Amino acid sequence: MSDDAEDAWYADGLRFECTRCGHCCTGEPGRVRVSIEEVRALAAGLELAEYEFLDMYTHRLSSGGFVLRERENNDCVFWSTEDGCTVYANRPRQCRTWPFWRGVVASRRHWDAAARGCPGIDSGALFDAATIRETSESDGTSGTIPDVESP
Ligand code: SF4
Ligand code: SF4
């Protein structure tokens, strides 16, 4: 374990197990970033050319890069009520690394705030601090640490 992870507030590890409730794929507007490598994999999985995939399923950010489109109700374009994530095998890194995002593991307060919308947080498998640190350092997000209200 690195010195940083040993010193982190989550030095004893954190628990997480997805219940597949779908809250993080639906409801509130969000930004699921996709790298060009992820675009290639997603396009191949859907048997589309990359430009077709970009045109059909993404928006370009003014700051650069691409995010997945959402439907009018803010659901991710790949969410299905019946089947869950319809691109699960190729889902973007941002979806794979939740909840160990820099902006979530920044503090106990940020973690607890995220837990209010994600029933998988603080249950299930224990992840060690080194894994959490390594995941958060390459989480696929912008790395922004949000303001959160005190409990
Ligand atoms: S909100 Fe949490 S438990 Fe629900 S689908 Fe998303 S990651 Fe899984
Ligand atoms: S790509 Fe899949 S896991 Fe990621 S937000 Fe969309 S439906 Fe959810």
Side-chain angles (χ1 to χ4, degrees):
M1 189 190 301
S2 72
D3 289 347
D4 280 348
E6 281 175 352
D7 295 340
W9 68 269
Y10 50 75
D12 293 335
L14 292 169
R15 292 190 183 276
F16 171 67
E17 190 156 319
C18 181
T19 66
R20 306 223 171 179
C21 70
H23 287 175
C24 59
C25 308
T26 62
E28 301 279 309
R31 278 188 170 183
V32 178
R33 292 167 184 270
V34 278
S35 68
I36 209 64
E37 291 77 21
E38 289 166 345
V39 166
R40 280 192 197 113
L42 284 159
L46 295 169
E47 299 185 352
L48 294 170
E50 287 165 34
Y51 76 87
E52 290 175 312
F53 178 87
L54 288 170
D55 189 46
M56 292 169 68
Y57 295 119
T58 71
H59 286 302
R60 184 190 277 275
L61 294 172
S62 55
S63 55
F66 297 92
V67 292
L68 295 183
R69 285 180 186 259
E70 294 180 335
R71 302 196 182 100
E72 281 188 11
N73 63 359
N74 298 322
D75 289 0
C76 174
V77 68
F78 292 123
W79 174 257
S80 156
T81 309
E82 295 75 32
D83 303 321
C85 177
T86 57
V87 294
Y88 192 79
N90 294 314
R91 67 198 188 287
R93 182 159 184 77
Q94 188 175 322
C95 306
R96 295 171 188 273
T97 59
W98 173 267
F100 303 122
W101 292 357
R102 272 167 285 185
V104 173
V105 300
S107 70
R108 165 64 75 179
R109 201 154 50 89
H110 286 81
W111 178 257
D112 289 345
R116 292 198 277 277
C118 174
I121 287 179
D122 287 332
S123 68
L126 181 67
F127 290 80
D128 66 49
T131 300
I132 294 165
R133 174 56 56 96
E134 191 180 332
T135 304
S136 69
E137 285 174 348
S138 178
D139 59 10
T141 76
S142 67
T144 304
I145 297 176
D147 291 329
V148 293
E149 293 171 15
S150 296

